[in-house]
Amino acid sequence: MTPSDSAVQRKLLLAAFQMPAVATLVSRKSSITNAFVNTLIPQIVPSLEEIEQALKILGMDLADVRCAYCGDKMTEWDHLRPLVVKQRPTGYISEIGNLVPACGKCNQSKGNSSWREWMVSTTARHSPTARGKKDVAERIGRLEAYERWRPPTKIHDFEAILGTEEWAAYWRAWEKINADLRECQKVADDLRAKIEKALPQQLRGVAVIPVDLRTSLVNVVRENDFPALPLQGQPEDSSPI
């Protein structure tokens, strides 16, 4: 193996490997916020007739329900309009007019984005357009018809319903939980350092490959026409609310 081949091999190896993402205590802030909001959101269970009508508007075969965004096999129902944006409720609720069949890939990729902007995005990871789906415009048309079929219910002012004191107390509890988790994370960092110190000498100080370095290495490999391996998934709460 020549030095040049060795360098390429090293780049391939570095680009191909990724340590599993560590779910730290502080990285759970998005999950906690979602839980705080979702716990308050009313859920209206649809009738069988409403489900049938919803699927008909979306052009779905009852025996083979597909993702409304991309057409892949449906695995879950997704909120068409997000329940949480910027760490507070949007006012939309869980009801048939705000739920559409989706696949896990689209649900995770869309997150709390506007569904229409996300679907046509060429840069959003796993969006239908970025994945080269050919019928995106047609699916957007169906979703627009779906919105006209059942205008969404929206709670415009939670504070007015619950009262200023009760609403503020709820979010103080949210702040306290996150503060406690930050303190717990400091303790966990110290404990992990002690555990790592107890490892055999040959296992210490192994370099961690940063995400930006891995990305740049993949680009280098692609530019040199080598078959780059895909990066693995990102941490669960890597996308902002």
Side-chain angles (χ1 to χ4, degrees), residues 2-238:
T2 67
S4 176
D5 290 340
S6 178
V8 170
Q9 177 75 0
R10 183 174 183 276
K11 291 175 182 176
L12 284 169
L13 288 170
L14 288 171
F17 179 74
Q18 178 182 355
M19 288 294 291
V22 177
T24 65
L25 295 170
V26 294
S27 72
R28 293 301 185 188
K29 187 173 183 178
S30 294
S31 297
I32 292 169
T33 303
N34 284 333
F36 259 71
V37 173
N38 289 337
T39 301
L40 301 176
I41 303 301
Q43 292 189 332
I44 300 176
V45 180
S47 66
L48 294 180
E49 290 76 14
E50 288 175 319
I51 296 172
E52 183 179 16
Q53 191 172 1
L55 293 175
K56 183 177 180 180
I57 293 171
L58 291 171
M60 300 291 174
D61 179 353
L62 185 58
D64 185 26
V65 180
R66 295 278 164 171
C67 174
Y69 304 121
C70 75
D72 287 355
K73 187 71 176 177
M74 182 272 289
T75 59
E76 56 220 75
W77 282 68
D78 174 47
H79 289 100
L80 188 61
R81 307 166 194 86
L83 303 185
V84 187
V85 170
K86 296 181 180 179
Q87 302 181 348
R88 287 299 182 270
T90 60
Y92 296 114
I93 70 173
S94 292
E95 58 181 339
I96 190 65
N98 194 34
L99 292 167
V100 295
C103 66
K105 185 175 289 186
C106 280
N107 193 0
Q108 293 173 18
S109 172
K110 172 176 162 286
N112 294 327
S113 304
S114 162
W115 67 265
R116 189 180 287 98
E117 293 176 6
W118 165 77
M119 284 187 71
V120 300
S121 172
T122 58
T123 57
R125 192 165 180 253
H126 296 320
S127 76
T129 299
R131 286 156 59 196
K133 298 293 182 178
K134 303 300 183 183
D135 57 352
V136 174
E138 180 182 347
R139 293 186 178 281
I140 288 176
R142 288 175 183 168
L143 288 169
E144 289 173 340
Y146 195 74
E147 287 189 313
R148 292 191 297 271
W149 166 64
R150 190 65 64 90
T153 302
K154 188 170 186 180
I155 299 171
H156 293 283
D157 195 342
F158 283 81
E159 186 174 345
I161 296 172
L162 301 174
T164 300
E165 184 176 340
E166 208 167 353
W167 184 241
Y170 191 69
W171 288 102
R172 282 198 299 271
W174 170 81
E175 291 171 353
K176 183 179 185 304
I177 288 175
N178 284 292
D180 289 344
L181 286 175
R182 286 193 295 272
E183 290 302 315
C184 289
Q185 185 63 54
K186 293 177 183 178
V187 174
D189 289 341
D190 291 340
L191 295 179
R192 186 181 66 249
K194 292 179 180 178
I195 293 170
E196 290 175 349
K197 190 175 181 180
L199 291 173
Q201 183 65 41
Q202 64 268 27
L203 295 180
R204 298 183 203 168
V206 177
V208 177
I209 306 168
V211 173
D212 56 347
L213 175 57
R214 286 189 289 101
T215 302
S216 64
L217 288 171
V218 170
N219 291 335
V220 168
V221 171
R222 288 174 180 161
E223 288 170 3
N224 285 279
D225 295 325
F226 287 93
L229 297 175
L231 295 177
Q232 297 177 20
Q234 298 300 314
E236 177 184 335
D237 287 337
S238 60

